[in-house]
Every structure is written in C-alpha cells, then in structure tokens.
Amino acid sequence: ASVPKRPASEPQPSASAAPKPGGMSIRKASRQKGKIKLAITGQSGSGKTATALLVASGIVPWEKIVLIDTEESGDNYEGQMVAGVEIGPYNVLKMEAPYTPQNYMRALDIAEQEGMELAIIDSLSHAWTGEGGALDKHSRIQNSGTSSFSAWQKPKQENRRLLERITHSKIHTISTMRSKMDTQLVEGENGKKEVKNFGLAPIQEKDTVYEFDLVINLDREHQAQVTKDRTNQFTNEYFTPGVSTGSTLKKWINKEA
C-alpha cells in the first residue's frame, strides 16, 4: 500500500504582517507640520489682544485671522499703529454670554468652516469666570443641593473638552487669558495659617497652560517672558513679542527652524 503524503505546511505570516492590536504600530520619529497652539497671559492693560494680532500676522495673512471676541473690543484695533505696525483687515466673530464651552467650540467650528487659518480666542478666561462658564455652572449645581466637590465634576469635564477642542483644532489658535495674583492659605513658621502670594496665574483651570505649545506672559510694560516652549525657539529673557515672533513660529511650523 502506498504511504499517504503529508499535507504541505501552510506558510506562516511574517511578524511584520501580523495584525497590530488596535491598529497601533511603531514608526520612526519625524516632526510633522502642525498647527501652533499659543497662549498669551497678562493682567488687564498688558496688551494681550494687540500682541496676539501682531504675532498672528507673522504666521498667516491678516484676512485669514479671526478674533473670537468676548471682550467687546474686537473691532478697536483695525487700522491702528501698534509697535510701528498698522493692524490690517482681520475678521471678528463676536461672542456674547453665555460663555459656555459649547459656544466657544461652536465659534471654532465657524472659524474652520469659513476658511480662517488662525483664531484668536480673546478671552479664554470667560469660559472659567464668565456667565455660563465653569464657576457659574458650579454655583448653580451646588445651589441645587449638591456638595461643592461633586458640583465640580460636570463644569471641569466640559472645560476639559473645550481645551481638547482648542489643542486639536484644524487651524492655528492664540488664546488670551487674564492673570491675577495667586494667593493661597498656608501654614506659617509659627504654625498659624497665613496668606501667601505665589505670583501671577492665568484665570482658568489650574494647569491649563500645560495644554499649549507656547505660553507668553506679558507685564504692564508689554514685555514678555516665555514660561513654556515646546518649539525651543525662545529663551527666558524678556522681549517684546510682535510680528517677528510670529515669523519665527511660522518657520518652526514649516520645519524651517
């Protein structure tokens, strides 16, 4: 009797062809062209809006800039001379109360749909302290009988979604935030509680600044210090930000720096 032939073994897929869990794979690191996410903080009168406009004009043409205005002053800069530069014909999207995260995100949707290339959010602080913002929503929930701790859950979740929407925007963004003195109740050397100043902090949720590529703090003399810089294009020295700042960022965005 003939001996039956053993079936040929089926070829096994190579390791590279094996399916990756969840579609994940490893690739070589390569910095991609992206959209800059910049924050400008400072006290009232430090020049946040004018600075944002100048920096923006170094990144994109004036007609591709939209100022999402919660400060009721968005039209005031057109045609003015600021630091030797004439403010060009930018666009304005007026945003009125309530300053909910949903309204901010709707404004960004409009900016993207209308073909804008850079949105200045002026000011992101209203999403925290303004009517309809996080503090307002927290108070309303707490007044309904919920504990203060539990009342923070929804406002903080919504604010977090807004920050994620900004950082994942299809266009460049510059977010201005007002600053105030950060005071905390701490234990003193004598064991008694005392109020201590920890410098200026933006009016927004704590650690918000960590979401941005670049954070510029302005003082009352319109001088700036960079406190966070993923671009590695700036130093900690004081400087006056303007069109050249935007031009530097544009080169970095285009992988020319």
Side-chain angles (χ1 to χ4, degrees), residues 25 35 38 84 92 114 147 150 165 167 169 204-205 249 252:
S25 61
K35 304 301 181 183
L38 166 64
V92 176
E114 293 294 322
S147 69
S150 298
R165 175 67 180 86
T167 57
S169 174
Q204 241 293 335
E205 186 175 4
L249 289 172
W252 179 82

Side-chain angles (χ1 to χ4, degrees), residues 2-255:
S2 61
V3 180
K5 294 181 179 180
R6 298 177 62 185
S9 59
E10 296 182 1
Q12 297 297 315
S14 65
S16 60
K20 308 294 192 300
M24 294 184 289
S25 61
I26 297 175
R27 61 171 176 81
K28 288 185 180 295
S30 175
R31 183 165 69 83
Q32 306 296 310
K33 287 186 179 181
K35 304 301 181 183
I36 194 71
K37 311 303 175 187
L38 166 64
I40 298 177
T41 70
Q43 293 178 288
S44 178
S46 59
K48 296 183 293 295
T49 306
T51 298
L53 286 165
L54 291 176
V55 173
S57 71
I59 301 174
V60 302
W62 284 110
E63 61 269 18
K64 290 295 184 179
I65 299 170
V66 59
L67 191 148
I68 299 173
D69 177 27
T70 69
E71 298 277 7
E72 295 296 328
S73 60
D75 294 296
N76 294 349
Y77 299 90
E78 198 275 327
Q80 286 192 19
M81 296 295 294
V82 178
V85 177
E86 183 177 356
I87 301 296
Y90 62 95
N91 305 280
V92 176
L93 193 163
K94 287 198 174 292
M95 182 176 162
E96 299 178 349
Y99 302 110
T100 62
Q102 292 80 4
N103 280 342
Y104 274 91
M105 290 188 280
R106 191 172 297 116
L108 271 176
D109 289 342
I110 294 170
E112 293 174 352
Q113 292 163 7
E114 293 294 322
M116 298 294 105
E117 295 180 6
L118 188 150
I120 299 172
I121 303 171
D122 188 41
S123 158
L124 188 58
S125 290
H126 281 96
W128 191 252
T129 59
E131 180 186 343
L135 293 180
D136 185 29
K137 181 160 286 188
H138 172 265
S139 296
R140 292 173 186 270
I141 295 173
Q142 186 179 9
N143 290 340
S144 68
T146 305
S147 69
S148 178
F149 179 82
S150 298
W152 271 120
Q153 183 176 359
K154 187 172 182 180
K156 286 191 173 184
Q157 283 179 345
E158 292 182 346
N159 195 66
R160 179 56 48 184
R161 290 193 193 101
L162 170 58
L163 293 175
E164 290 175 354
R165 175 67 180 86
I166 293 171
T167 57
H168 291 89
S169 174
K170 299 175 184 177
I171 60 178
H172 306 293
T173 59
I174 300 178
S175 301
T176 71
M177 288 178 278
R178 297 177 183 175
S179 294
K180 67 174 183 178
M181 188 61 67
D182 180 19
T183 58
Q184 298 180 26
L185 194 63
V186 298
E187 187 173 315
E189 295 180 358
N190 57 5
K192 294 183 178 180
K193 295 291 185 180
E194 59 184 38
V195 176
K196 185 174 181 179
N197 292 331
F198 287 87
L200 294 172
I203 300 176
Q204 241 293 335
E205 186 175 4
K206 186 180 179 182
D207 299 337
T208 292
V209 293
Y210 298 131
E211 302 297 327
F212 297 92
D213 299 317
L214 181 68
V215 180
I216 296 176
N217 294 334
L218 290 175
D219 63 19
R220 291 283 179 86
E221 303 301 319
H222 315 310
Q223 294 295 294
Q225 187 174 32
V226 171
T227 57
K228 180 191 174 182
D229 183 13
R230 287 179 184 159
T231 71
N232 294 317
Q233 301 300 303
F234 303 92
T235 67
N236 287 327
E237 297 178 1
Y238 278 91
F239 68 103
T240 303
V243 179
S244 62
T245 309
S247 299
T248 298
L249 289 172
K250 184 177 181 178
K251 290 179 180 179
W252 179 82
I253 292 164
N254 293 331
K255 302 177 69 172

